[in-house]
Amino acid sequence: MLTIKNATKSFGTKKVLDQVSYDFPTGEITVILGPSGGGKTTLLRCISGLENFDSGELLLDNENLTKKKKTDRERSVGVVFQDFQLFPHLNVLENIILAPTMVLKQSKEEAKEKAQELLKLLGLENKEDAYPYELSGGQKQRVAIARALAMGPRVLCYDEPTSALDPDLSGNVAEMILNLKSPNVTQIVVTHDPVFAEKIADQTIRVESV
Ligand SMILES: Nc1ncnc2c1ncn2[C@@H]1O[C@H](COP(=O)(O)OP(=O)(O)OP(=O)(O)O)[C@@H](O)[C@H]1O
Ligand SMILES: [Mg+2]
């Protein structure tokens, strides 16, 4: 279970999260809804370690995530960003194996083998050598998901994964997220799309404007 207790976050004088507490059960998909500017992306950034809460607790199975080493935290939590943030100068395979080789110190061969399995799982086995500019939006997104999964995260967060997609592809993403559901993985999905949310959510939480 990922637990946030009494978390607060401000940027300058602007308070974005005010004493929020949430539980994200392991193995479940939690959908986060809420108004634009309500702090959803900020929440994901704080969970992943790109930002930190100003105060409050962030626990993964009762372990304080903020006190972990940076590499352990990076390994524990994966994020698929809204704009994917693929490295434009690296091909698909290189994008996926970069963190496993640099952070987890996997050998190139091992990382490559795992990456190829993930690409197959996500229907991208023929795109290994493609560069991000050669991919469609939906394909880029699946590469971003493969890149996050390559670290074997216990928590996987998605920031508005369907916002750039047509309804068909949205349905595919819902299916993919449901397929990735596993007893050990906690998935957290920010979305504005009620149909998509309905399809995937085990529980829904709302982030309110402060
Ligand atoms: N790095 C930052 N520096 C200053 N202000 C920030 C920063 N990041 C976010 N904010 C502000 O915090 C508030 C919450 O932003 P956030 O991106 O978390 O909202 P959101 O709920 O994801 O909105 P949307 O649905 O539009 O994506 C906004 O007012 C935003 O301008
Ligand atoms: Mg956002």
Side-chain angles (χ1 to χ4, degrees), residues 89-102:
H89 59 295
L90 299 181
N91 70 25
V92 165
L93 198 69
E94 290 162 347
N95 261 281
I96 298 172
I97 69 171
L98 187 69
T101 52
M102 301 287 283

Side-chain angles (χ1 to χ4, degrees), residues 110-190:
E110 186 190 354
K112 198 172 150 187
E113 213 169 284
K114 268 210 192 138
Q116 284 166 334
E117 268 171 38
L118 286 169
L119 287 172
K120 203 164 168 202
L121 177 78
L122 297 172
L124 287 171
E125 57 269 54
N126 55 351
K127 294 290 182 192
E128 259 181 48
D129 301 325
Y131 283 84
Y133 75 90
E134 297 172 301
L135 301 173
S136 72
Q139 289 166 342
K140 272 189 258 204
Q141 181 179 49
R142 279 178 283 157
V143 174
I145 292 172
R147 186 173 64 174
L149 286 172
M151 296 291 277
R154 287 157 69 192
V155 179
L156 193 51
C157 307
Y158 309 81
D159 199 355
E160 302 198 28
T162 60
S163 60
L165 305 179
D166 66 31
D168 265 3
L169 277 176
S170 248
N172 290 353
V173 175
E175 225 169 89
M176 191 167 56
I177 290 175
L178 287 168
N179 280 337
L180 294 175
K181 209 169 149 164
S182 101
N184 310 317
V185 178
T186 305
Q187 295 192 88
I188 303 174
V189 187
V190 168

Side-chain angles (χ1 to χ4, degrees), residues 52-140:
N52 278 305
F53 295 123
D54 300 330
S55 63
E57 283 184 77
L58 177 65
L59 306 170
L60 183 55
D61 297 334
N62 293 317
E63 241 187 301
N64 192 331
L65 259 184
T66 51
K67 297 223 166 96
K68 279 185 163 219
K69 274 199 312 204
K70 192 168 170 279
T71 48
D72 287 340
R73 191 157 175 194
E74 277 179 28
R75 187 201 305 239
S76 300
V77 184
V79 190
V80 179
F81 295 100
Q82 188 168 2
D83 57 1
F84 317 130
Q85 299 191 9
L86 297 176
F87 303 112
H89 59 295
L90 299 181
N91 70 25
V92 165
L93 198 69
E94 290 162 347
N95 261 281
I96 298 172
I97 69 171
L98 187 69
T101 52
M102 301 287 283
V103 180
L104 305 183
K105 310 288 179 208
Q106 286 176 9
S107 71
K108 233 177 170 173
E109 284 63 43
E110 186 190 354
K112 198 172 150 187
E113 213 169 284
K114 268 210 192 138
Q116 284 166 334
E117 268 171 38
L118 286 169
L119 287 172
K120 203 164 168 202
L121 177 78
L122 297 172
L124 287 171
E125 57 269 54
N126 55 351
K127 294 290 182 192
E128 259 181 48
D129 301 325
Y131 283 84
Y133 75 90
E134 297 172 301
L135 301 173
S136 72
Q139 289 166 342
K140 272 189 258 204

